[in-house]
Amino acid sequence: MGGGGQQTESSEPAKGDGVGPDGGGGGRGGSAVYTWEEVQRHCHRGDQWLVIDRKVYNITQWAKRHPGGIRVISHFAGEDATEAFVAFHPDPHFVRKFLKPLLIGELATTEPSQDHGKNAALVQDFQALRDRVESEGLLRARPLFFSLYLGHILLLEALALGLLWVWGTSWSVTLLCSLMLATSQAQAGWLQHDYGHLSVCKKSSWNHKLHKFVIGHLKGASANWWNHRHFQHHAKPNIFRKDPDINSLHVFVLGDKQPVEYGVKKLKYMPYHYQHQYFFLIGPPLIVPVFFNIQIFRTMFSQRDWVDLAWSMSFYLRFFCCYYPFFGFFGSVALISFVRFLESHWFVWVTQMSHLPMEMDHERHQDWLTMQLSATCNIEQSTFNDWFSGHLNFQIEHQ
């Protein structure tokens, strides 16, 4: 199986042994040994290796079939991905069977377990902390809490529609209906986030099903689009060209270093000295109703993701069936656009307040804990903040 079968013993295995010109050979059943310098050379799109628990894997071809998307796994090409592997896979033993055919060797005994001079003691301490938190059951979800959370979202949807049935479509009632719908949409966004992280149900399959229901039927978006985008953010937070959440498409310059780089290169896509003013016209109002919606539908059609498209269409079908009798077609379009406009402000302020004030830089190859802490901050805890942010005010713990 390409180097993933029974490993054979060798008294003096040569470094780099068994790897063909295309970087795809298994070599001696994965018994070859490598230095970090050799692994780090394989960090290009057509040639990708990574290390998990000192085992070296050639993921060049597998990356295209990676369930989490090609980009998130490619971000770790040429690096140690052990901590990311543990963080992203609730059942690592199940996933390891897919790694076996990709095994090409291991690190030489003279090589450290961490690359790029990472603090080994800090990595070990964080792993011990993670193990303790898990053993004490602090990461165990409470089904009743999430059932009530889903219930209050459905209740808001029902109350918004009930307002129109009872009191008609006056401006004041329509505005109140819009606020309730925007609240339900924002809260559904936080709930789908938890299902998307596979952190609610014990079985991943149930998390996936409920994720598609909440993000698809309750919000009209795509589960796969969200997964491929959001996992990159968690893998490399606040790292330019790797975290899509700070890819501003040249509309804004972020952090301390990007403005300097744009100034040195004389890049003037926008009048950046006024971005503190036009941010309020372009950022919060348009992220969800324009930018995300374009991305979502472009992704579903380009990837031929007909399952997610069907879930998304079920939302719009339900929405128009409910509101067409009150507002007609164009009125219903105006209503959902206004709801998205309100939701977008909510989404932007909650999601960015924990990351934009923190460090932003190009890849620095930090250990997992240091990388997450340097890019993340918490927001003051209160009952309202917990609800308003979907508990993402505990962003450090979440990351």
Side-chain angles (χ1 to χ4, degrees):
M1 292 194 299
Q6 182 71 28
Q7 292 191 16
T8 57
E9 297 293 328
S10 175
S11 57
E12 296 182 10
K15 295 180 179 180
D17 185 23
V19 179
D22 61 350
R28 296 197 182 191
S31 63
V33 295
Y34 303 94
T35 64
W36 275 117
E37 182 180 0
E38 289 174 302
V39 172
Q40 289 162 6
R41 287 201 295 264
H42 300 270
C43 61
H44 310 288
R45 176 172 298 191
D47 181 15
Q48 298 181 335
W49 294 4
L50 54 73
V51 176
I52 299 174
D53 290 328
R54 298 189 62 86
K55 303 294 184 181
V56 181
Y57 299 93
N58 184 342
I59 62 165
T60 305
Q61 298 302 321
W62 165 248
K64 301 172 185 177
R65 297 181 286 121
H66 181 234
I70 186 174
R71 291 185 179 180
V72 66
I73 193 172
S74 297
H75 291 336
F76 292 93
E79 301 181 20
D80 176 60
T82 304
E83 293 180 289
F85 178 80
V86 173
F88 282 116
H89 301 98
D91 186 1
H93 298 293
F94 171 78
V95 180
R96 287 185 189 279
K97 70 179 183 180
F98 297 100
L99 290 176
K100 287 183 179 180
L102 312 178
L103 180 67
I104 58 173
E106 60 184 24
L107 292 174
T109 56
T110 56
E111 292 294 304
S113 296
Q114 283 74 40
D115 56 331
H116 296 283
K118 295 174 183 175
N119 189 327
L122 185 62
V123 172
Q124 293 172 0
D125 287 346
F126 179 62
Q127 182 58 50
L129 175 62
R130 185 203 300 272
D131 293 341
R132 180 179 176 182
V133 167
E134 291 181 351
S135 66
E136 293 182 2
L138 299 180
L139 300 181
R140 198 173 299 133
R142 298 179 180 178
L144 178 60
F145 170 82
F146 288 99
S147 297
L148 293 174
Y149 205 105
L150 175 59
H152 105 286
I153 293 169
L154 299 176
L155 179 62
L156 285 168
E157 294 265 357
L159 289 176
L161 187 60
L163 283 176
L164 302 177
W165 278 105
V166 176
W167 284 290
T169 57
S170 65
W171 281 104
S172 58
V173 173
T174 301
L175 178 60
L176 182 57
C177 172
S178 301
L179 291 172
M180 297 181 75
L181 287 174
T183 301
S184 71
Q185 285 295 295
Q187 292 298 321
W190 310 144
L191 181 59
Q192 69 81 24
H193 173 271
D194 292 327
Y195 285 122
H197 276 293
L198 310 181
S199 59
V200 179
C201 304
K202 291 183 179 180
K203 291 186 177 181
S204 294
S205 58
W206 277 104
N207 281 304
H208 286 302
K209 289 182 176 69
L210 289 167
H211 186 216
K212 287 187 180 295
F213 170 75
V214 176
I215 196 174
H217 184 67
L218 296 186
K219 289 191 61 63
S222 164
N224 286 330
W225 165 81
W226 183 88
N227 285 338
H228 292 174
R229 177 186 176 89
H230 192 66
F231 292 165
Q232 291 183 74
H233 159 70
H234 274 275
K236 297 289 184 177
N238 280 14
I239 294 179
F240 293 120
R241 298 185 180 181
K242 293 187 176 182
D243 181 359
D245 284 5
I246 60 170
N247 178 11
S248 65
L249 301 176
H250 303 301
V251 176
F252 306 106
V253 286
L254 305 174
D256 295 326
K257 295 187 177 181
Q258 195 175 56
V260 175
E261 292 176 357
Y262 274 52
V264 171
K265 297 177 182 178
K266 301 187 183 301
L267 302 177
K268 299 179 180 179
Y269 298 99
M270 296 287 288
Y272 296 118
H273 51 295
Y274 291 116
Q275 71 173 12
H276 62 291
Q277 296 174 340
Y278 68 71
F279 168 79
F280 296 98
L281 300 175
I282 298 177
L286 301 182
I287 287 290
V288 172
V290 178
F291 180 63
F292 277 2
N293 270 329
I294 291 175
Q295 267 200 346
I296 288 167
F297 282 97
R298 185 177 65 183
T299 299
M300 289 190 295
F301 280 105
S302 64
Q303 300 296 323
R304 298 182 179 181
D305 192 350
W306 309 130
V307 174
D308 276 12
L309 181 62
W311 277 111
S312 178
M313 290 299 100
S314 74
F315 164 81
Y316 288 102
L317 179 62
R318 175 175 59 86
F319 184 88
F320 281 99
C321 284
C322 290
Y323 294 99
Y324 180 85
F326 298 101
F327 301 107
F329 177 76
F330 292 106
S332 298
V333 171
L335 176 63
I336 188 60
S337 299
F338 184 55
V339 169
R340 294 286 191 230
F341 169 82
L342 296 175
E343 177 199 359
S344 189
H345 284 79
W346 192 329
F347 170 83
V348 169
W349 292 115
V350 168
T351 57
Q352 298 309 310
M353 63 185 177
S354 295
H355 293 294
L356 285 186
M358 305 305 288
E359 294 181 22
M360 299 184 191
D361 205 343
H362 296 283
E363 180 62 76
R364 291 185 291 176
H365 302 290
Q366 297 173 308
D367 64 84
W368 184 264
L369 179 62
T370 302
M371 177 177 63
Q372 301 295 340
L373 289 178
S374 65
T376 311
C377 65
N378 280 355
I379 306 300
E380 182 178 351
Q381 190 275 332
S382 70
T383 301
F384 176 78
N385 282 353
D386 293 351
W387 172 82
F388 188 81
S389 67
H391 297 88
L392 291 177
N393 50 331
F394 296 97
Q395 190 67 213
I396 292 176
E397 292 83 351
H398 170 62
Q399 290 287 127

